[in-house]
Amino acid sequence: MSNTPPAAPERPAEMDKAYEHQQVERRLYEWWEQSGYFAPREDAPREPFVIAIPPPNVTGELHLGHAMFVTIEDLMIRWRRMQGFKTLWVPGTDHAGIATQSQVEKLLRSEGTSRVAVGRDEFLRRTWEWKAKYGGEIQNQLRRLGASCDWERERFTLDEGLSRSVHTAFKRLYDDGLIYRGMYLVNWSPALGTAVSDLEVEHETRNVSIWYVRYPVQNADWSGPTAEWGSGAWAAGATEWITVATTRPETILGDTAVATAPDDERFAAIVGKQAILPALGRAIPIISDEYVDKEFGSGAVKITPAHDKNDYEVGKRHQLPMINIMNKDATINAAGGPYAGLDRFEARKAILADLDREGLLVKTEPHTMSVGISQRGGEVIEPLLSEQWFVKMQPLADLALAAVREGRTRIIPERFEKVYFHWLENIEDWCISRQLWWGHRIPVWYLPDGTFVVPGPDEQGPQGAVQDPDVLDTWFSSGLWPFSTLGWPDETPDLKTFYPTSVMETGYDILFFWVARMMMMGCYLTGQEPFHTIYLHGLVRDEHGRKMSKSYGNVVNPLEVMDVQGTDALRFTLATSGTPGQDLNLNPQRIEAARNFANKIWNITRFVIGKLEGAFPAEGEYEGREITPTLADRWIVSRYNRLCLDVDRLMEGSNFGEAGRQIQDFMWGEFADWYVEIAKVQLDGDAERQRVTRITLFTVLEGTLRLLHPFMPFVTEEVWQYLVAVPQKTLAARGMIEQHFATSLMLAEYPQGDERLLSEESERNWALVQELIVAIRNVRSEYKVEPSRAVAATVAAGEQAEMIQAQAALISRLARVDGENLSIVATLEAKPQQAASIVIGTLAAYLPLAGMIDLAAERTRVEKELVNAEADVARRQSKLSNESFVSKAPEAVVQREREGLTAAEAAVAALRARLAEL
């Protein structure tokens, strides 16, 4: 990056009357990026601050989840950059194995072909082609959000460098005995044709059926069936039975035992005997096992070790055969006998019909259960015995647990530590192989003699060896992201400078999917935790708290929001509408309010710029002249510095939402609504007073724009450029431009606040003046005084009389009080009659009603309102005294009536007080 950054892009010489975000955002972003402002500054005075972006899917389209993490991470990066840290935000995308492969397979089907038909090499060529065509869209959409990533360091999980990192990690874990191959039960997605991890299985509560099926038991009187299955006489002659309950009757074909609870006396006499499996006639043992709940179903359960996780564990304990009855497409295989070739659910129907025909279907009951659904495929997951590659997780989990327990990495919010600990303490081995083609191919080569080798990343597979056809789980490469993107396993300058990273910011919903895997991989492979802070944001829901879904019709497209309301409006809403780890209800009215805030910033700046003439005089022009700031000047400067100190505390505590809300409250509620109005009065004073006011306007606005920039980068940069252009010439002539202004707001220093400029006395005194002005305005409103009409006022301010008197001009202008009829004294001998009274602590103010309203007409109006209000009270009292109404009406209706009575009684009291004043 050049030592002398390029000048800001051309903009209109004067600010337009209204802020048009469409004219600003693209122009500013292109300037920032082309100027190299997103890269780490070599001359940064502080240590590195690094975030690795959660890589979106390469073929993905921007959604609110992306908008949320970009907003928060960009906020962090811009803030730390302005604080002088050597900031790096590493962008990139994930190859998204299943998602991308599914898209390309869909394309091939539309062409009348398939993945298998075109072959692996052609399929991968077509997938890279797809990636080249659609892969850049998500990055451009992240740019729309203002993401100040260092795009020169952009990474892709299938890049050559990252592929080398993946191969190295696999090799090291394998050599250390942590990767193994074995036949285990996995979650099988028939639609995708691959195994998926537990975390990629979503669970839905469904209303299903539970079927009770009786199995004949061998004894001295009956050794087995003599008739054909389906004849209706298959179990003829059987005298002893055991009934099992199942929600998946098609898996009967894979049963290898029936189990009962050890303490269940009902089955004590037949434990150890053999039951005969319906349909297939296979003899299976009746066993007892602690797993069985004797209160569930019939008290006896069928054991299918190859198709149920719990049964798998029972099977291992009792050394039962494990019979797989399904093909990879969820059709029944040859082990299913007469049902071979049927889809699993068609087989279910056929088996139930045959069981009923044979008199073995005892009963059917409705049942509610949790059903595993493939997150990507959408179909019911099938537990399937399959040979796969696994990682032994406990040694890795121990390291990740220690990093958090010992405080080297902290989780925000802290309550998620318990969830993190629970998952890692109960972790199971991770199935890392996927039966896909798009992804990192498993670096294992099989030799003709059936053995295999795992060469290193710089080695070739042996002559005549065949590489494993499967690819690694996408989360394997994602787990290396914080350090693979910096060049690991090589000791690159980036790895030495920027690793470990600083913060991992992401949604709490992928704490296990991704964050825990990065912690385990980072701690094991690099010897260091990959980041010192894990910041978890919540999910974005609609304004009613519902999950956004196409079926609800409530999905919000962030691109459309940015088109209409502007990027800053969306960012500010997302940043300030929630707290860490809590779901956010996105209210469209808040986005509109944030857009109005952007417009307010524009209008405030236009006003201030229009008043800055003479604020920055030539050197020596005011030498020797001491200018005393007014109470209002001291108040706004104190409030601004207090804001800076509070924002610094909040930001350091990762409470970004509250920091943003306080900046907005100050900028709109104190600076714009009060000090700008005060300035209009003070600018009517002498030249020296005007100059102090102008400098105060400039200083506070310029600093507040710097505070707000990480939240709303576009509008703040645009108006700041206009604002600082005013003093540029004068300061440049005096050799002070480098000291005061950076080329871009994003490179300016973030305000820290100066405790020496805090003045509790000024804040306390102005609060009293402010409260008096508001109270007078309220009285004017209550009595419907015309806005152009000035009123008289007498103020008895006690010890504060002198201070209040000094603010008389402001009180007169801001409260619309006639200056010649504004009397400010320490005490009053008698309270004025027929006057509206205001009491603020020891201060009292009186506004003669005769000067504000027609007393006779006002008395008539109030008396009429009082009659109506008293009638309303009587009606509600009568209704609530009616025992029939109170006992029969819904509680909500009765409560609403009670609340209405309370409000009506308060109105009567207020009207009677008003009448007394009159």
Side-chain angles (χ1 to χ4, degrees):
M1 183 174 131
S2 169
N3 292 330
T4 305
E10 290 187 9
R11 54 176 51 81
E14 295 184 0
M15 294 179 70
D16 293 334
K17 289 186 178 181
Y19 176 53
E20 301 291 345
H21 65 269
Q22 302 93 335
Q23 309 296 322
V24 172
E25 293 174 0
R26 182 182 296 275
R27 166 168 51 83
L28 283 180
Y29 193 90
E30 289 178 354
W31 170 56
W32 288 333
E33 185 174 357
Q34 292 166 8
S35 300
Y37 292 155
F38 300 158
R41 292 173 57 186
E42 293 302 323
D43 61 347
R46 301 181 72 175
E47 68 271 18
F49 179 84
V50 186
I51 297 177
I53 200 170
N57 289 354
V58 68
T59 57
E61 184 175 352
L62 192 74
H63 56 66
L64 280 172
H66 299 126
M68 174 63 96
F69 82 67
V70 169
T71 294
I72 297 174
E73 291 174 29
D74 191 54
L75 188 161
M76 292 181 184
I77 286 288
R78 287 179 184 269
W79 167 52
R80 292 302 194 190
R81 184 185 289 121
M82 294 174 76
Q83 286 187 318
F85 287 84
K86 190 172 186 175
T87 52
L88 171 61
W89 188 11
V90 182
T93 48
D94 192 284
H95 65 276
I98 292 175
T100 305
Q101 178 159 318
S102 297
Q103 290 284 357
V104 179
E105 289 199 58
K106 183 178 178 181
L107 175 66
L108 292 175
R109 286 195 297 272
S110 72
E111 298 173 358
T113 186
S114 68
R115 168 170 63 108
V116 175
V118 301
R120 186 169 196 141
D121 290 343
E122 175 60 14
F123 178 80
L124 291 177
R125 188 194 69 77
R126 292 292 299 270
T127 309
W128 280 104
E129 188 178 80
W130 170 275
K131 185 261 182 188
K133 184 175 181 180
Y134 298 103
E137 189 61 28
I138 187 69
Q139 293 96 319
N140 291 330
Q141 291 170 344
L142 298 184
R143 285 176 167 92
R144 280 285 311 274
L145 284 162
S148 57
C149 304
D150 184 359
W151 294 104
E152 295 295 318
R153 285 179 165 87
E154 184 180 357
R155 298 291 182 264
F156 175 52
T157 49
L158 281 178
D159 281 348
E160 183 178 347
L162 273 69
S163 295
R164 185 169 182 272
S165 300
V166 169
H167 194 145
T168 301
F170 187 97
K171 172 67 172 173
R172 184 174 302 179
L173 291 168
Y174 175 78
D175 288 347
D176 292 349
L178 296 179
I179 286 182
Y180 63 94
R181 189 170 186 242
M183 184 74 74
Y184 291 92
L185 202 67
V186 299
N187 300 305
W188 187 262
S189 169
L192 300 173
T194 181
V196 295
S197 72
D198 288 345
L199 297 176
E200 292 167 298
V201 179
E202 296 179 342
H203 292 273
E204 291 182 3
T205 299
R206 292 188 176 182
N207 295 320
V208 298
S209 295
I210 186 168
W211 291 276
Y212 290 76
V213 180
R214 60 177 188 166
Y215 292 11
V217 177
Q218 281 184 338
N219 56 25
D221 300 321
W222 190 81
S223 59
T226 56
E228 291 289 325
W229 175 252
S231 64
W234 180 81
T239 59
E240 198 170 9
W241 309 85
I242 186 167
T243 299
V244 301
T246 180
T247 58
R248 298 163 65 214
E250 67 278 11
T251 61
I252 286 175
L253 303 171
D255 287 0
T256 55
V258 173
T260 66
D263 61 346
D264 195 335
E265 295 299 325
R266 292 174 296 173
F267 302 106
I270 59 173
V271 170
K273 292 186 176 183
Q274 301 281 316
I276 301 300
L277 192 65
L280 301 181
R282 183 167 62 241
I284 57 176
I286 300 172
I287 62 176
S288 64
D289 191 275
E290 295 289 349
Y291 157 67
V292 181
D293 176 5
K294 65 181 180 181
E295 303 301 325
F296 177 77
S298 65
V301 296
K302 54 190 286 304
I303 302 298
T304 319
H307 293 281
D308 182 274
K309 288 190 174 182
N310 293 314
D311 292 4
Y312 177 76
E313 296 300 326
V314 174
K316 286 198 298 183
R317 286 195 292 273
H318 293 269
Q319 298 181 326
L320 299 173
M322 299 193 180
I323 301 173
N324 175 27
I325 61 161
M326 286 194 193
N327 298 310
K328 299 298 174 65
D329 61 356
T331 57
I332 305 300
N333 64 22
Y339 306 100
L342 292 178
D343 170 78
R344 55 180 168 166
F345 297 121
E346 290 301 318
R348 175 180 298 181
K349 294 177 183 176
I351 289 172
L352 286 170
D354 288 343
L355 288 169
D356 190 40
R357 184 178 299 109
E358 294 292 352
L360 303 180
L361 186 59
V362 179
K363 62 179 178 177
T364 304
E365 293 180 345
H367 183 61
T368 301
M369 66 179 292
S370 178
V371 178
I373 306 297
S374 171
Q375 188 182 63
R376 292 286 183 184
E379 82 286 13
V380 175
I381 285 292
E382 187 62 46
L384 193 70
L385 199 62
S386 177
E387 191 170 43
Q388 304 283 346
W389 288 95
F390 294 84
V391 177
K392 293 179 182 177
M393 299 302 287
Q394 199 57 59
L396 306 183
D398 290 343
L399 298 175
L401 284 165
V404 174
R405 284 195 174 123
E406 295 169 11
R408 299 193 302 276
T409 296
R410 68 181 184 128
I411 300 176
I412 302 172
E414 189 176 329
R415 69 177 184 276
F416 280 98
E417 286 187 3
K418 291 183 179 179
V419 184
Y420 176 87
F421 292 152
H422 178 76
W423 188 72
L424 288 176
E425 287 166 351
N426 296 278
I427 198 166
E428 296 181 357
D429 287 356
W430 174 19
C431 174
I432 56 171
S433 46
R434 298 290 180 269
Q435 288 63 54
L436 304 171
W437 287 353
W438 175 246
H440 295 99
R441 195 164 175 180
I442 291 176
V444 173
W445 276 259
Y446 298 94
L447 300 169
D449 62 3
T451 60
F452 61 83
V453 295
V454 183
D458 301 318
E459 302 170 345
Q460 297 294 321
Q463 190 73 26
V466 177
Q467 188 175 359
D468 194 301
D470 292 348
V471 300
L472 288 166
D473 181 5
T474 299
W475 296 105
F476 189 95
S477 54
S478 299
L480 313 178
W481 185 251
F483 46 97
S484 64
T485 52
L486 299 174
W488 184 90
D490 299 324
E491 284 291 322
T492 62
D494 271 6
L495 189 68
K496 292 177 182 177
T497 304
F498 299 115
Y499 187 80
T501 66
S502 306
V503 178
M504 172 46 59
E505 191 286 331
T506 190
Y508 67 72
D509 55 324
I510 56 173
L511 178 60
F512 308 136
F513 264 122
W514 187 41
V515 178
R517 299 196 196 282
M518 287 187 287
M519 285 292 291
M520 290 186 284
M521 292 291 215
C523 290
Y524 189 83
L525 295 171
T526 73
Q528 294 177 286
E529 54 282 350
F531 22 78
H532 63 64
T533 300
I534 299 167
Y535 180 101
L536 301 172
H537 66 250
L539 305 180
V540 183
R541 299 181 179 275
D542 73 6
E543 60 184 308
H544 305 295
R546 297 180 304 176
K547 183 178 180 179
M548 290 195 181
S549 164
K550 290 181 180 178
S551 61
Y552 289 144
N554 62 350
V555 174
V556 175
N557 184 334
L559 296 171
E560 294 176 0
V561 173
M562 291 188 286
D563 286 341
V564 176
Q565 310 284 22
T567 297
D568 287 327
L570 177 62
R571 284 176 57 125
F572 190 77
T573 303
L574 292 173
T576 61
S577 295
T579 55
Q582 295 289 347
D583 289 352
L584 179 158
N585 294 351
L586 188 65
N587 189 333
Q589 293 178 341
R590 292 199 65 160
I591 302 175
E592 187 174 341
R595 182 204 63 191
N596 294 339
F597 181 39
N599 292 338
K600 187 72 172 180
I601 294 165
W602 185 268
N603 293 333
I604 296 169
T605 308
R606 284 187 75 238
F607 169 81
V608 171
I609 289 174
K611 302 298 180 183
L612 287 182
E613 183 179 353
F616 305 96
E619 188 171 10
E621 185 175 335
Y622 282 94
E623 282 188 13
R625 303 185 189 183
E626 185 174 341
I627 306 173
T628 304
T630 65
L631 170 63
D633 297 333
R634 296 193 302 275
W635 163 73
I636 197 65
V637 168
S638 179
R639 293 296 300 150
Y640 165 70
N641 280 277
R642 193 176 301 282
L643 172 69
C644 292
L645 293 167
D646 286 344
V647 167
D648 181 68
R649 171 181 54 80
L650 290 165
M651 298 280 270
E652 291 293 348
S654 300
N655 198 340
F656 306 116
E658 180 59 24
R661 289 188 289 271
Q662 289 197 16
I663 297 169
Q664 181 186 32
D665 289 346
F666 171 82
M667 196 171 199
W668 196 321
E670 296 186 66
F671 183 73
D673 285 356
W674 284 96
Y675 189 73
V676 166
E677 297 306 312
I678 292 165
K680 293 175 183 178
V681 180
Q682 295 188 165
L683 287 171
D684 289 339
D686 59 37
E688 294 184 14
R689 172 63 52 231
Q690 291 179 29
R691 179 170 175 259
V692 172
T693 301
R694 288 177 174 126
I695 289 175
T696 305
L697 281 169
F698 175 86
T699 302
V700 174
L701 176 57
E702 191 274 337
T704 309
L705 290 173
R706 282 186 279 141
L707 283 175
L708 187 59
H709 177 72
F711 296 84
M712 305 178 81
F714 292 107
V715 68
T716 54
E717 176 78 83
E718 185 76 354
V719 300
W720 185 84
Q721 291 289 345
Y722 279 110
L723 182 66
V724 300
V726 177
Q728 290 273 17
K729 292 182 180 179
T730 301
L731 294 175
R734 294 164 62 180
M736 297 175 63
I737 189 166
E738 291 298 331
Q739 175 184 344
H740 282 265
F741 304 114
T743 307
S744 167
L745 177 54
M746 70 185 294
L747 302 181
E749 182 180 350
Y750 202 74
Q752 297 299 302
D754 188 340
E755 291 187 357
R756 296 170 300 177
L757 296 176
L758 299 181
S759 173
E760 291 187 6
E761 180 183 10
S762 298
E763 292 185 35
R764 184 171 58 251
N765 287 343
W766 179 255
L768 181 61
V769 175
Q770 192 176 30
E771 197 170 351
L772 175 60
I773 292 169
V774 170
I776 295 173
R777 288 174 175 174
N778 288 341
V779 169
R780 291 175 59 94
S781 175
E782 288 172 13
Y783 284 94
K784 298 178 174 58
V785 179
E786 297 173 1
S788 61
R789 186 174 186 177
V791 299
T794 298
V795 181
E799 295 179 354
Q800 298 290 335
E802 184 178 351
M803 183 274 292
I804 296 292
Q805 182 64 56
Q807 310 306 315
L810 287 175
I811 294 169
S812 176
R813 180 80 70 88
L814 299 180
R816 296 294 295 135
V817 174
D818 184 349
E820 295 183 0
N821 289 299
L822 173 59
S823 174
I824 300 172
V825 296
T827 59
L828 282 174
E829 292 184 4
K831 174 183 174 182
Q833 297 299 308
Q834 289 189 319
S837 60
I838 296 169
V839 178
I840 306 170
T842 59
L843 179 150
Y846 303 93
L847 280 63
L849 298 178
M852 291 194 295
I853 56 174
D854 181 327
L855 289 174
E858 181 66 7
R859 272 195 297 270
T860 300
R861 185 187 69 80
V862 173
E863 287 170 348
K864 185 177 180 180
E865 282 192 22
L866 180 58
V867 169
N868 292 334
E870 287 174 336
D872 187 34
V873 168
R875 181 188 63 79
R876 293 179 185 275
Q877 286 176 335
S878 174
K879 198 170 186 179
L880 287 168
S881 63
N882 184 331
E883 187 177 340
S884 176
F885 168 74
V886 173
S887 61
K888 294 180 180 179
E891 179 59 32
V893 173
V894 176
Q895 181 60 30
R896 188 161 59 245
E897 201 63 37
R898 288 186 179 125
E899 292 171 355
L901 175 59
T902 300
E905 289 172 338
V908 166
L911 288 166
R912 285 173 177 167
R914 177 75 56 80
L915 200 57
E917 287 179 344
L918 293 169

